[in-house]
Amino acid sequence: MPITALAHPNIALIKYWGKRDTGRNLPAVGSISVTLDALYTRMSLEIPDSLTEDRLTLNGQPAPSLLPRLAACLDSVLGRERPRLSIDSTSNFPVAAGLASSASAFAACVVAADALDGGERSRDVLSNLAGRGSGSAARSLFGGFAELRNREDGVEVTTLLGPDEWPVEVVVAVTSEHKKAVGSGEAMEISRQTSPFYQRWLDEQEHDLAVARDAIAARDFAALGRIAEHNCLKMHSVMWTSRPPMVYWTSATVACLETVRDLAAGGVPVFFTIDAGPQVKALCLPEAADRVARALGETPGVQRILRSKLGEGARVLEAG
Ligand code: PMV
């Protein structure tokens, strides 16, 4: 019987960009994110008889190129002497296009692997193991608003507010479904080594985290929006000033920013954030979600709109 886990991607409002330890994949800075509900990765693990190598299917297709990172994640939970596994992963959104698909994939992977092994590990341990696969994945073990802090030997993620405690909505404007040219792991290392703004980015992060934490505690949407947009544009400034520069935006990305700015200027409670890809994520209060989705859907270059409320952390779906 396969064991299946479900995990959602998360979107950082205060971003992580840069590692302090590439070997252990530890982030240089803390971060704050929201976990989405409507998007998911569902991962099933099975130990078939007489399999000599791991086997991975992604949305029903063999995906050998993605296997090494997932196999390393499975090794980190189950040990290198583990049995060979058949891994079946399904995501209901574009993969590797700046929608945090690696976060939901690694979070689902560690939860499913742990369940296969008796399900004894704490959420903290699983979050650290997921973070070794992809830094942002550590946050997908937690629902609602989550904060990741660095601690000496790893990371510690906590829930700031659960998904129902402040029900904001996320509207994603998908402007391209192509796989990104430079993956975030490689890109953030280039930034660390070459951007003249990188040190300043590190120096200001504690301040941005504190402002966002206070805004979330006070449910102050405008204050959260101001610091989240600033932090996002600062991260992209670091990317743009790296050598070679990394510009993930397209003209449609800029058009979406204008749409969000126009809505906000008209009093609509909405702000934007963008990760290592061309998609624009608009956070809004529930009463504004239809209007935001319509306006972004009509923005030139937008291919489709995804909508989501906030969701729960990664979990086992069925064990047996
Ligand atoms: O989890 P990674 O290593 O793919 O890095 C994700 C980095 C950003 O999405 C750009 C920011 C973040 O904090 O999620």
Side-chain angles (χ1 to χ4, degrees), residues 10 12 14-17 19 31 102 134-137 139 184-185 188 235 239 275-276:
N10 67 78
I14 303 298
K15 314 281 190 189
Y16 125 72
W17 192 252
K19 300 182 201 292
S31 51
S102 61
S134 166
S136 56
R139 300 185 307 238
S184 51
M188 57 179 80
M235 178 185 77
M239 295 170 173
D275 292 298

Side-chain angles (χ1 to χ4, degrees), residues 75-87:
D75 289 352
S76 75
V77 182
L78 300 170
R80 296 181 66 133
E81 302 305 315
R82 65 178 170 80
R84 296 305 100 184
L85 293 165
S86 171
I87 311 155

